[in-house]
Each structure stands twice: as structure tokens, then as C-alpha cells.
Amino acid sequence: MTEPPNSTSAIAAFYDATVGAFGVLFDGCVHTGYWARGAETFSRAQTDLTDLVLDAHDVPVDSRLLDLGSGQGGPAIHAARRFGAYVLGVTLSGEQAAAATAAAQETDVAKQVEFQVKDMRSTGLPDASFDGAYAMESVFHVPDKGAAFAEVFRVLKPGAALSIADYHHLHDMSPEDDGIATGMLAAAPLTPLDEWVSLLTGAGFESVEARDISADVVRSGAAMREAVVERREALTAVGGPEGYGMVGEAVAQYTRIYTEGQGFALFTARKPA
Ligand SMILES: C[S@@+](CC[C@H](N)C(=O)[O-])C[C@H]1O[C@@H](n2cnc3c(N)ncnc32)[C@H](O)[C@@H]1O
């Protein structure tokens, strides 16, 4: 039987293949930017989104945080510094985990962060072993989000917070865009805002809140496309002209379909104490 184009192995293959290009394009964060805090550069806007997501956590030094879909490690390194916490990042991509580990080794928090290849729906991590968890632009890849929420609920300690920044369904896609989203970008069908809330509540979380922040991220579409043009030389050095074309196309489609075409929200929730 052939695998669907957005299977876990396709997601892993997509992020394995883009690790070099995304390393050139972004400063360790593979996500959109948040512009409501006065950012003047895309990199600053990305960090501001990370901080917005981390604002949901009030954890002491030496606490344990879980990064669901940790990408190239930027958010986990930032969280480790901000809180003095240990952060475990899980990703489907072995290349991302290796790149994130190498990036962390260059920092002052090398001993506080770790990256492992795991599916966020079945991590094998012990029950009630984390003081908080967050996910940035990763759950939109997961078709059965309820399974991911049940798993993170299991591994969080009572009273711990979960925060998520991700896309939600605003409009049905054209069949052509649906094919690009599933095939080229290995994404799952988008979930409407109220369904995100029901799935989080259904997994046992309380104080579930969803805040649409689409207007504060939409500028990231143009910023990402500009970065592709500005960094053409470095991107071509990594992937050749063909690789540059592929990254340019992926970023163009991603920003058009998602960043500018759908909704983006901040979700916060808490495991009952
Ligand atoms: C757009 S990147 C975001 C990376 C990172 N959160 C950031 O903001 O820089 C999407 C990430 O989600 C991860 N991902 C997607 N589905 C996953 C799953 N089922 N389990 C673990 N990671 C997953 C990918 O491996 C990738 O690291």
C-alpha cells in the first residue's frame, strides 16, 4: 500500500530535506513571526512569537519543559535561557534533531536542552514528568490532534500549562491548494478554531482559551519571501539552483496558502491540578 503524501515519514523527509535551507533562511526558528510587539525584522518577530507562546508558562529554574515538534531548536534554546529550565524537544526529523543538537552545543544552555526523534502522539516519556509543554506550528501536521493532546496531557504534571501557536481552518482550500498542502508541504487538513478547543477540552485540559492572532502574523508572508530573495546566494550554495527553486516554491506556496490564506491562533490550556 502506498503511504499518503502527508504521512509521518513524508513529514520527516520534508524536514530532513529542508534543514540546510531553513538553516540559512531562519535563525533556528522554523515558524512565522508575531509583529504586535514592535519587531522590525523577521527574526525579531519570530522570537516575539516564541515569547508569546512561552508567556503561558510560569515555571521555576530547573523545571522541565517539552517542545512538541521542535524543528531546528531555536524555540527550545530560547526557552531554556528564559526560564533556566531543561527543555526536551521532539521532532519527526532526524536531520532536525541533529542540527538542533549541534546548534545547542554552541550556546550557553548546551546542557539544558536535548532533542530526540519521537512522534508527539506516542512519546514513550513517563507520566506526569513535565512542568509545561508548548508547540509552535507543528500540530497542523498532525491529522489526529486528539491523540497528540491525550499524549501531552499524560506526560504533563497536574497544574502544568500547554501553549500552542498554530494555523486554524478559515476557508476550504481549492482542490489544487489542498494537493499542494498535502503533497508538497506534508500538512494535515486544518482544524477550525472551535474544534481545537473541543479537542483540547476532550483530552482533559481546563481553562482552554483560543485567541486568533492572524492579523499580527500576516506580515510574515512577505517577510519570508523577501528572505528567500535576499539570501539567494547562500541558499544556492546549500542546495544549488534546483534546491533554491524548490525552497522558493515551498515558501511561496506555504505563505500564500497558510500565512496569508488561513487563520493563526494562540491556544492556552492547563492540566487540572
Ligand atoms: C514548521 S516546523 C516548526 C518547528 C519548531 N516548532 C519551530 O517553531 O521552529 C514543524 C515541526 O513539527 C514537527 N512535527 C510534525 N508532526 C510531528 C509529530 N507527529 N511528532 C513530532 N513532531 C512533529 C516536524 O518534525 C517539525 O519539526
Side-chain angles (χ1 to χ4, degrees):
M1 214 172 73
T2 40
E3 286 208 342
N6 55 357
S7 65
T8 49
S9 51
I11 297 167
F14 175 78
Y15 288 108
D16 280 350
T18 49
V19 88
F22 288 169
V24 167
L25 258 190
F26 310 124
D27 300 328
C29 293
V30 188
H31 61 239
T32 195
Y34 181 67
W35 300 86
R37 291 184 173 173
E40 289 183 355
T41 63
F42 182 56
S43 177
R44 181 72 238 174
Q46 285 187 306
T47 306
D48 284 353
L49 184 69
T50 306
D51 271 323
L52 182 73
V53 167
L54 297 179
D55 285 348
H57 301 271
D58 181 15
V59 291
V61 169
D62 291 336
S63 53
R64 289 167 52 83
L65 292 176
L66 180 60
D67 182 328
L68 302 160
S70 48
Q72 298 189 198
I77 292 167
H78 189 72
R81 270 205 195 109
R82 173 166 163 177
F83 297 115
Y86 162 82
V87 187
L88 173 64
V90 298
T91 168
L92 292 174
S93 157
E95 294 293 333
Q96 279 192 331
T101 303
Q105 273 161 7
E106 303 294 312
T107 72
D108 51 328
V109 290
K111 293 200 173 79
Q112 285 166 244
V113 288
E114 211 179 331
F115 299 95
Q116 295 177 3
V117 176
K118 285 184 187 299
D119 190 323
M120 69 171 85
R121 292 167 296 182
S122 56
T123 61
L125 295 165
D127 289 355
S129 52
F130 286 88
D131 302 286
Y134 62 89
M136 302 188 68
E137 265 177 71
S138 52
V139 182
F140 84 106
H141 279 291
V142 180
D144 45 346
K145 296 179 178 56
F149 298 155
E151 177 67 353
V152 64
F153 187 87
R154 183 184 71 73
V155 303
L156 283 177
K157 295 180 187 172
L162 167 68
S163 55
I164 302 173
D166 219 323
Y167 292 101
H168 64 92
H169 176 276
L170 270 192
H171 318 281
D172 284 345
M173 291 181 194
S174 67
E176 192 194 352
D177 284 356
D178 202 30
I180 295 168
T182 314
M184 180 192 290
L185 304 170
L190 285 179
T191 302
L193 204 66
D194 55 351
E195 205 178 314
W196 275 89
V197 172
S198 321
L199 288 167
L200 284 162
T201 308
F205 286 99
E206 63 179 23
S207 309
V208 178
E209 284 178 23
R211 176 155 71 96
D212 182 84
I213 54 168
S214 309
D216 296 320
V217 304
V218 70
R219 228 177 109 182
S220 305
M224 278 195 231
R225 293 189 297 269
E226 275 161 29
V228 171
V229 175
E230 275 164 17
R231 301 184 188 190
R232 180 181 187 131
E233 210 174 304
L235 284 165
T236 306
V238 167
E242 200 184 324
Y244 177 74
M246 278 164 57
V247 169
E249 182 63 9
V251 169
Q253 297 292 6
Y254 174 80
T255 51
R256 180 183 63 80
I257 294 176
Y258 290 101
T259 321
E260 294 164 344
Q262 298 286 343
F264 196 83
L266 174 72
F267 302 93
T268 52
R270 192 166 290 281
K271 180 168 174 170

